[in-house]
Amino acid sequence: MREPDEAKGFAGIIGHRDVVTHMQSAVKQGKVSHAYIIGGEKGSGKRLLATIFAMTLQCEQKGIEPCGQCASCRKALSGSQPDIIYVHHEKPNSVGIDEIREQVVGDVSIRPYESRYKVYIIDDAALMTPQAQNALLKTIEEPPEYAIIILLADNPEALLPTIRSRCVTLRLKPVTDEEMKEYLMTQLHVPDYKAEVMASFAQGNIGRAKRIAESPEFMESVENAVRMMKRSKSLAVYEMIEAVKELAGQRQGVYDFMDVFLLWFHDVLMFKATREVDNLVFKDEINAIQERASVSSYEGIEKIEEAIQTAKDRLHANVNFDLSLELMFLTIREN
């Protein structure tokens, strides 16, 4: 059974060295802020970093890493540390004023049960209503000395300027392909040739890398998508649409297909520009990539990449499925 990522402490974090350094320096120097915003896209590791930071602050060893062995750390790992509070919300797209009042504002005046701090971790913080944010503002402005509030936000700019100005903002950058590939191979035991494809596909997002590494269907989807691109000149548009429906299944699968299409045409563009194979994701398909590069212009490849991205945006906006794919495949055929 694999140990939880939190148990590895900061040493187990992949990438984000600047954020880890900031957190550890704050702990070491005794300059921990009362309010933080950790910004980064979904799956980038915000919650994991916040949890390890909270564990470090509460650890009985008082070091710059959670020891993982003391009573506080053991409780944190089991989800029962009473002074690390995860604020939850009922509605999927909104964090309301009542939830903030009940779980933070009304609770913060009670001193820690057994630790030095009370740490509140608010996931999906950008979904807080303006009323909820204003209710939280007074606590952030005048917190008890033991209170630390950590806001996790996919889009920190969605938070009110008055909130942002009173928090230390730490932004997560994409993890490099090299770090991602090493993580996939050493931690998740993915073979070398698959790790390279998965690392490119994950686009710097560790959560996405884990999802695809643990999906037995992922490489099959990649192979199907590549096969479609190789046959895009001979297949009719309606055949390609039907194939995506059949092979991709659920909506997430369709987005994965489109991301493979983007990687494919990025390879075509890279080969056309450099004639080099080493930097390609799909090295094994060099003959098909070379053939496509010879018939598509730079402008044509750019139009194709734009059409794929537009189709993704349309599907996210619930535009008609068949129409979105038809326009994309027409552009792929025409260019």
Side-chain angles (χ1 to χ4, degrees):
M1 191 167 135
R2 199 159 61 89
E3 67 175 341
D5 291 335
E6 292 86 349
K8 300 169 188 170
F10 285 121
I13 295 288
I14 311 303
H16 311 314
R17 284 298 104 193
D18 52 341
V19 173
V20 169
T21 299
H22 179 99
M23 288 176 168
Q24 291 187 312
S25 296
V27 173
K28 188 174 184 178
Q29 296 169 20
K31 294 182 178 177
V32 177
S33 173
H34 283 294
Y36 290 89
I37 296 168
I38 302 179
E41 66 178 17
K42 187 175 178 64
S44 57
K46 301 185 295 295
R47 185 179 169 108
L48 178 61
L49 272 164
T51 297
I52 294 171
F53 188 35
M55 286 176 64
T56 304
L57 291 167
Q58 308 291 41
C59 179
E60 293 163 19
Q61 297 298 319
K62 294 184 167 46
I64 60 170
E65 283 270 1
C67 74
Q69 302 300 320
C70 69
S72 175
C73 283
R74 290 201 308 273
K75 286 179 182 177
L77 289 170
S78 68
S80 59
Q81 219 288 13
D83 297 316
I84 299 177
I85 297 119
Y86 295 93
V87 177
H88 58 269
H89 57 100
E90 296 297 324
K91 295 179 181 174
N93 299 315
S94 173
V95 181
I97 186 170
D98 290 343
E99 289 160 325
I100 293 300
R101 277 178 175 161
E102 182 182 329
Q103 297 174 63
V104 185
V105 178
D107 184 79
V108 77
S109 59
I110 303 168
R111 296 192 68 81
Y113 292 98
E114 55 188 44
S115 305
R116 181 180 176 187
Y117 299 103
K118 278 184 94 168
V119 184
Y120 296 86
I121 298 174
I122 305 178
D123 214 342
D124 300 322
L127 298 179
M128 284 191 293
T129 63
Q131 294 85 350
Q133 292 185 56
N134 282 320
L136 183 65
L137 183 60
K138 185 168 177 59
T139 301
I140 290 178
E141 286 177 328
E142 301 172 12
E145 60 179 12
Y146 51 77
I148 296 172
I149 296 169
I150 306 175
L151 306 174
L152 311 182
D154 297 357
N155 176 20
E157 283 68 35
L159 292 164
L160 295 175
T162 46
I163 293 278
R164 296 202 307 270
S165 67
R166 288 162 176 80
C167 298
V168 172
T169 298
L170 305 172
R171 294 180 184 273
L172 304 190
K173 303 184 184 81
V175 174
T176 66
D177 281 1
E178 290 75 22
E179 290 171 319
M180 190 74 78
K181 185 178 174 184
E182 184 181 351
Y183 165 75
L184 287 164
M185 291 172 66
T186 58
Q187 302 293 319
L188 301 183
H189 311 296
V190 174
D192 185 303
Y193 72 99
K194 287 187 180 179
E196 193 152 344
V197 175
M198 289 179 179
S200 298
F201 189 84
Q203 297 174 341
N205 186 305
I206 206 79
R208 193 177 197 202
K210 286 178 73 172
R211 175 177 68 80
I212 60 181
E214 291 164 1
S215 164
E217 299 88 19
F218 173 73
M219 287 309 293
E220 187 181 337
S221 293
V222 169
E223 288 161 11
N224 286 329
V226 167
R227 204 174 296 121
M228 284 183 67
M229 288 300 94
K230 287 163 69 175
R231 297 183 60 206
S232 59
K233 284 169 68 177
S234 60
L235 286 173
V237 169
Y238 79 88
E239 289 178 302
M240 288 195 276
I241 293 171
E242 289 306 313
V244 169
K245 282 183 182 175
E246 183 181 342
L247 296 169
Q250 60 182 340
R251 182 154 290 225
Q252 181 58 54
V254 176
Y255 296 133
D256 288 351
F257 255 60
M258 290 184 176
D259 285 337
V260 176
F261 295 163
L262 280 171
L263 281 179
W264 172 265
F265 281 105
H266 181 69
D267 270 7
V268 172
L269 185 63
M270 286 291 290
F271 181 78
K272 189 175 183 69
T274 66
R275 314 305 289 180
E276 292 177 2
V277 179
D278 288 349
N279 292 325
L280 303 184
V281 175
F282 300 110
K283 296 180 181 68
D284 294 348
E285 302 291 346
I286 182 57
N287 290 338
I289 287 169
Q290 186 172 8
E291 183 185 342
R292 184 77 203 208
S294 68
V295 297
S296 290
S297 65
Y298 287 110
E299 185 186 7
I301 298 168
E302 192 176 309
K303 282 181 180 176
I304 288 169
E305 291 181 329
E306 285 174 3
I308 296 169
Q309 189 57 56
T310 299
K312 284 180 67 177
D313 294 342
R314 284 175 174 149
L315 290 181
H316 277 297
N318 289 319
V319 174
N320 180 274
F321 184 93
D322 284 22
L323 178 62
S324 299
L325 292 191
E326 183 179 347
L327 293 170
M328 177 186 76
F329 283 130
L330 280 170
T331 305
I332 289 173
R333 288 285 299 274
E334 288 167 1
N335 290 280

